[in-house]
Amino acid sequence: MKQLILVEGLPGTGKTTISKWLAEMLRASGEEVLLLNEGDERIPLDFYNIPDDQYKTITDFVTIAYERLGNWVNAHLNNSDTVIIDSGYLQNPVNELLFRSAKDDVIRDFINTITNMLRPLNPICVYLRRDDADQAIGFARKVKGTGWSDRVDGLLKEHGGMDFFRHRFKLELKLLAGIENITCRIHGDDWDNAKKAIARGLKRV
């Protein structure tokens, strides 16, 4: 694989916007690109095709995750394309562990392990961040509409309110220390500076 690019950040930071732009930019420069946006069943650490009752506990989730990721890495070792994954490195795995009340050190060890498993694929994380979690979720509510907001409100009611996202935000910033990353601050709906920083960081300019 030429490179594995992991696009991460809280909801409302523009992961889908940036991952699609990134795929278009790299394809325009002649690279073969596989883009896996959130919800794609080919993302190894998203369990859309596995019944929930098969990974109820932290141990269940971690065991299945390591097996799936190991198989996925082996299958992609000899590919020459660039793979972009949206939300499959931090967002969804960290959510799954937090939903199961995993402690921060358990989450850290899990992310460190999967990061090491990904090393042969030359991974880099593009992390999009706003000033704080409240700002990110507020922007997401505005652009994603009431359906998304209602689902998030249900999640927050079950898992500690906005403290869930505040906790996740602080945790993710610490987890970035374990992987090469390009961290970009996002302001409003302006992603131009982030795009320039990402292109420079990926050495594609």
Side-chain angles (χ1 to χ4, degrees), residues 171-195:
L171 181 58
E172 288 182 355
L173 292 179
K174 293 177 181 177
L175 293 171
L176 288 173
I179 189 171
E180 182 180 359
N181 67 85
I182 304 166
T183 298
C184 303
R185 285 186 176 271
I186 306 299
H187 302 283
D189 57 359
D190 181 6
W191 283 272
D192 286 345
N193 288 333
K195 290 176 180 179

Side-chain angles (χ1 to χ4, degrees), residues 120-136:
L121 304 181
N122 189 25
I124 186 169
C125 181
V126 171
Y127 193 81
L128 309 172
R129 59 166 297 185
R130 296 188 183 274
D131 290 338
D132 54 44
D134 295 78
Q135 187 182 95

